[in-house]
Amino acid sequence: MSAEDLAGRVRNLARQRGALILAHNYQLGEVQDVADFVGDSLELARKAAEARAKLILFCGVHFMAETAKLLNPSATVLEPDPNAGCPLACMLNARQLRGLKAAHPGALVVTYVNSSADVKAESDVCCTSGNALKVVGAQPRDREIIFVPDKSLGTWVASKLGRELILWDGYCPTHHRITADFVRQARTEHPDAKVVVHPECTPDVTAIADEVASTSGILRYVASTPYKEYVIGTEVGLLHRLRKLHPDKRFYHVTPFADCPNMKLNTLEKLLWSLEDMEYKVTVPRDVAAKARKALDRMLEYV
Ligand code: SF4
């Protein structure tokens, strides 16, 4: 079956079942193209929370589908491949976070959404890369802040706000493949291009970029600047969206190695099977869900 036929079948079945298809900016191009909405973690969380549909097919990685379920508990949330996890989210568990809290009594816990529901349940407030500066910046200055699990994002937030944060040694393996050497090489190859990178990149990379922004921030930067060429330092899936939105501009990735294998586990075939079999349903234990939802609800107060 051609990709076009498959996409048509996914769309038809989604319509019959009344399903809303949400896809992250890092998904395969053909998955983005069948989605009702494509966005970053914050935008997808908002969409899931506001969705009227009783069925959401979430194309991203597990913590994102879990977040959708937490924010819209009455909806059935399906993920096309339950193996699509996030290595960053797996770098911290609830027991480890409890240990960190015990070592810093009185500290507030700000947790990046790239984390499990168990970890969110131990947190005061969540954030995404899109609103991390606002969330951390709004916390009282006289309180210590534990920021987990991404040390690169935490380091960037700390330097932007001039505030010390207690960090965890977590990182995104995909964004850490975007090295400063690759950025310098890309600048040599594309001397007229602006370099825009994601804050999950290492500090030596964010230090030499023209702009540091979340995926939706990168989209806004490109839409609001007059340049013709951009070198993009985030997961390569975002280039599909950028090229579609701005056919008059040129986009280059810093490195083709910034390709998240987990994000790419979702294929059109799996989307179709998921809708046919109503698999794989995302569930969160009730006691964990109640606490995790509070941290997520607080996150949504920061636009
Ligand atoms: Fe996790 Fe990084 Fe992949 Fe995003 S790109 S899902 S943070 S491993």
Side-chain angles (χ1 to χ4, degrees):
M1 194 185 301
S2 71
E4 219 167 278
D5 290 341
L6 255 178
R9 287 184 62 177
V10 170
R11 287 290 341 142
N12 280 341
L13 191 50
R15 199 164 33 244
Q16 279 168 32
R17 292 222 187 272
L20 176 73
I21 304 181
L22 300 180
H24 191 267
N25 286 321
Y26 297 160
Q27 289 291 286
L28 288 169
E30 58 263 36
V31 171
Q32 294 189 30
D33 292 345
V34 295
D36 295 296
F37 181 80
V38 183
D40 68 2
S41 303
L42 186 58
E43 292 166 335
L44 292 170
R46 282 189 194 290
K47 275 279 165 198
E50 294 160 1
R52 294 235 180 109
K54 287 287 145 230
L55 179 62
I56 297 173
L57 178 60
F58 200 103
C59 308
V61 290
H62 181 69
F63 78 80
M64 296 176 176
E66 199 175 55
T67 299
K69 179 68 186 171
L70 288 167
L71 290 170
N72 194 337
S74 64
T76 298
V77 178
L78 301 176
E79 53 188 347
D81 188 328
N83 297 311
C86 168
L88 166 59
C90 293
M91 288 180 194
L92 175 70
N93 62 34
R95 182 183 51 77
Q96 290 167 317
L97 181 51
R98 281 195 291 273
L100 198 57
K101 285 162 69 174
H104 299 277
L108 290 165
V109 179
V110 179
T111 295
Y112 192 29
V113 276
N114 297 37
S115 53
S116 67
D118 288 345
V119 165
K120 290 182 176 81
E122 292 288 337
S123 310
D124 293 296
V125 57
C126 290
C127 71
T128 69
S129 52
N131 70 359
L133 289 174
K134 276 191 187 158
V135 173
V136 174
Q139 305 311 315
R141 295 292 298 193
D142 59 347
R143 296 280 296 274
E144 278 195 306
I145 294 180
I146 294 172
F147 186 96
V148 291
D150 190 321
K151 65 179 173 187
S152 298
L153 176 63
T155 302
W156 179 74
V157 169
S159 72
K160 293 292 282 184
L161 297 176
R163 190 160 182 180
E164 207 173 308
L165 300 176
I166 298 155
L167 301 177
W168 184 253
D169 194 19
Y171 63 94
C172 163
T174 299
H175 282 86
H176 277 213
R177 280 186 216 119
I178 299 168
T179 64
D181 279 347
F182 282 139
V183 172
R184 283 188 278 269
Q185 193 181 321
R187 275 207 193 274
T188 310
E189 286 166 16
H190 309 291
D192 296 330
K194 288 288 165 192
V195 176
V196 199
V197 306
H198 193 277
E200 282 177 20
C201 293
T202 52
D204 58 337
V205 169
T206 53
I208 58 172
D210 295 308
E211 183 73 16
V212 181
S214 65
T215 53
S216 55
I218 294 174
L219 288 161
R220 279 195 300 276
Y221 177 77
V222 169
S224 63
T225 51
Y227 313 114
K228 288 284 166 219
E229 295 182 66
Y230 299 84
V231 169
I232 304 296
T234 190
E235 210 278 346
V236 294
L238 187 66
L239 274 83
H240 176 78
R241 186 127 186 247
L242 285 164
R243 288 178 179 139
K244 225 170 135 176
L245 288 169
H246 304 282
D248 55 323
K249 299 190 176 200
R250 288 194 159 173
F251 301 99
Y252 314 99
H253 47 57
V254 174
T255 165
F257 301 132
D259 191 354
C260 176
N262 304 284
M263 280 282 178
K264 302 305 188 302
L265 282 175
N266 297 324
T267 59
L268 284 180
E269 284 89 348
K270 289 182 191 168
L271 266 65
L272 187 59
W273 296 333
S274 186
L275 286 168
E276 280 175 351
D277 300 343
M278 291 293 285
E279 293 282 10
Y280 295 86
K281 292 189 184 77
V282 178
T283 57
V284 186
R286 197 171 294 185
D287 53 331
V288 172
K291 289 191 213 152
R293 195 173 300 127
K294 271 191 199 154
L296 282 169
D297 284 341
R298 283 189 203 119
M299 170 184 90
L300 293 179
E301 291 167 14
Y302 302 89
V303 182

